[in-house]
Amino acid sequence: MAEKLTKALSENPMSVRADQSLPVLARANVMASALELVEEREPATSVAELIRDFAWVVESVNPHEVLRDVNEDRAVSGFPDVPGIDSIEGALIERRKAYLLILRNLLNNMSTEKLVETITQAVSVATSGGEKHGPALLDDLVDSFEVEAQGFFDKEFKSIVALVRNAREAAPRGEKTVSAVLDSLEQVARNWSRVAKPIHISAKSRGIVHRQSHEVASHMRNLGVELNNEHNMLDQAHRVIALLREIFPELTEVAERVEQDAEAIAELRNQAHEITFGAEVGLLFKQPLAISASGISWKGTTYPLSSIVRARWGGVEHYHNGIPTGNNYTLDLGATNTQQE
């Protein structure tokens, strides 16, 4: 059997994951050897599947079963029995360290793009997208990946904070200026999410949070609220919130708040299109008054709603394109001193 497995490893390392005839520990060792022989051209998907299967096999190793198998073989060979479980458990801890090193070496020999894709797929499939706990070896691999990627996260975190600050400073100069900053922010945020994705999924499966990603999301969300509440930029606020909704779905607390923000923005946008009113105002000489999403028309002049209708989002009163969240609002038609409530 050993000769057969050795030949299989040399001819097609990926084939050994289908062989379930071996004892669990022996199977884990054969799969570890296969991982050391994976060729560079092997697609990320198949490598991710092998890593996932290997991690679950390692997870299923039972020290008591290993003790039984070892002592059966030692009895046949004429060696004395291993006296207790402690030595087996100590040896398995060392094997896990060796397994982790093999996985790290495998990933480190890949390009950055393939490395991230491989570990993301392995973690996602093993945990059903973070909905269930995965094998401990895979958690260890993700933790190791996070440590090695910390330099990237520190650098990109500073870039995101700076871009958020730039967007705030650009807001008084108008939406086009803000949009240009948001283009850069979106690019950096998407790159962050791509690298942090396996960490997000693993953390969700373990009921924890990637702290830096949570801070990034908070900075960006606060920017979205400020763009809407302080600068009447609903479209740009919607862009920020939609981006957060897309790239951070595994951050449960953030996702819930962003979902509420998205619903609030959708309601505001709908109300902007629904505002319609028309009437003849005046006791003797009547003048047409019309209210629509484009503004208020009075005596041949159209007043933008952004300057006269108050609305709220996130608990802060603000002006924005005539989008009130309540049923009552005040229209101040400039010098005419006419009010419609």
Side-chain angles (χ1 to χ4, degrees):
M1 183 177 290
E3 291 176 354
K4 176 182 176 182
L5 289 169
T6 302
K7 183 178 180 180
L9 284 170
S10 64
E11 295 178 350
N12 183 11
M14 304 300 289
S15 66
V16 301
R17 55 188 261 234
D19 189 345
Q20 300 184 24
S21 61
L22 294 171
V24 177
L25 179 57
R27 186 181 177 201
N29 287 331
V30 171
M31 294 180 77
S33 297
L35 286 162
E36 292 182 296
L37 298 172
V38 170
E39 296 184 2
E40 186 177 345
R41 68 172 183 271
E42 194 70 38
T45 299
S46 60
V47 178
E49 290 174 351
L50 178 57
I51 292 174
R52 175 205 61 192
D53 292 348
F54 172 60
W56 278 122
V57 170
V58 174
E59 187 80 5
S60 65
V61 173
N62 185 310
H64 294 279
E65 292 179 0
V66 172
L67 178 62
R68 180 200 63 205
D69 292 340
V70 167
N71 281 338
E72 286 179 354
D73 287 347
R74 290 174 73 88
V76 171
S77 303
F79 290 95
D81 286 353
V82 175
I85 198 69
D86 291 344
S87 58
I88 295 293
E89 290 177 337
L92 289 177
I93 290 174
E94 294 304 313
R95 284 309 297 156
R96 280 175 58 97
K97 292 179 181 178
Y99 295 153
L100 179 60
L101 181 60
I102 289 170
L103 291 176
R104 290 176 58 184
N105 289 338
L106 171 64
L107 294 176
N108 288 335
N109 287 329
M110 298 178 179
S111 66
T112 300
E113 293 291 331
K114 186 176 181 181
L115 184 159
V116 172
E117 181 183 358
T118 300
I119 192 171
T120 299
Q121 289 190 29
V123 174
S124 181
V125 175
T127 65
S128 297
E131 295 300 322
K132 66 179 184 179
H133 204 296
L137 182 62
L138 209 48
D139 290 340
D140 293 342
L141 181 62
V142 173
D143 291 343
S144 175
F145 168 76
E146 181 179 351
V147 170
E148 294 183 4
Q150 193 57 51
F152 164 85
F153 290 127
D154 290 342
K155 179 182 177 181
E156 295 300 277
F157 182 81
K158 292 178 181 178
S159 296
I160 289 173
V161 170
L163 287 168
V164 168
R165 182 177 62 250
N166 292 345
R168 286 195 171 101
E169 294 173 352
R173 299 195 295 272
E175 293 204 16
K176 288 186 177 180
T177 307
V178 172
S179 181
V181 180
L182 292 186
D183 287 343
S184 298
L185 178 60
E186 179 174 347
Q187 181 178 355
V188 177
R190 286 187 182 280
N191 195 38
W192 174 287
S193 173
R194 179 182 60 83
V195 176
K197 181 69 71 175
I199 301 173
H200 294 169
I201 297 172
S202 178
K204 182 180 180 181
S205 73
R206 291 185 270 177
I208 58 178
V209 174
H210 183 224
R211 180 187 56 81
Q212 278 189 305
S213 290
H214 192 279
E215 292 181 18
V216 165
S218 295
H219 279 290
M220 293 177 63
R221 178 185 179 270
N222 291 340
L223 172 63
V225 173
E226 184 174 324
L227 289 176
N228 186 77
N229 291 1
E230 304 298 328
H231 303 286
N232 309 323
M233 296 182 181
L234 180 60
D235 289 340
Q236 302 303 335
H238 174 264
R239 177 180 177 182
V240 173
I241 297 304
L243 176 62
L244 287 173
R245 195 181 189 187
E246 176 187 346
I247 67 176
F248 290 135
E250 296 87 12
L251 303 184
T252 306
E253 181 181 345
V254 172
E256 290 175 354
R257 296 182 68 184
V258 168
E259 191 65 28
Q260 294 171 359
D261 293 339
E263 291 175 0
I265 289 178
E267 182 180 353
L268 294 178
R269 291 166 73 94
N270 289 336
Q271 289 180 355
H273 293 288
E274 291 172 358
I275 295 175
T276 303
F277 177 81
E280 295 287 331
V281 179
L283 296 177
L284 183 59
F285 300 101
K286 296 184 180 297
Q287 297 286 342
L289 171 66
I291 307 174
S292 67
S294 60
I296 299 176
S297 298
W298 173 251
K299 292 185 176 181
T301 302
T302 299
Y303 301 86
L305 292 177
S306 59
S307 64
I308 51 183
V309 178
R310 292 179 296 181
R312 286 179 175 271
W313 173 36
V316 181
E317 187 173 84
H318 65 287
Y319 293 85
H320 180 69
N321 292 337
I323 307 172
T325 59
N327 294 324
N328 299 320
Y329 47 93
T330 299
L331 310 180
D332 184 353
L333 305 185
T336 65
N337 293 322
T338 301
Q339 290 190 330
Q340 176 84 22
E341 185 169 320

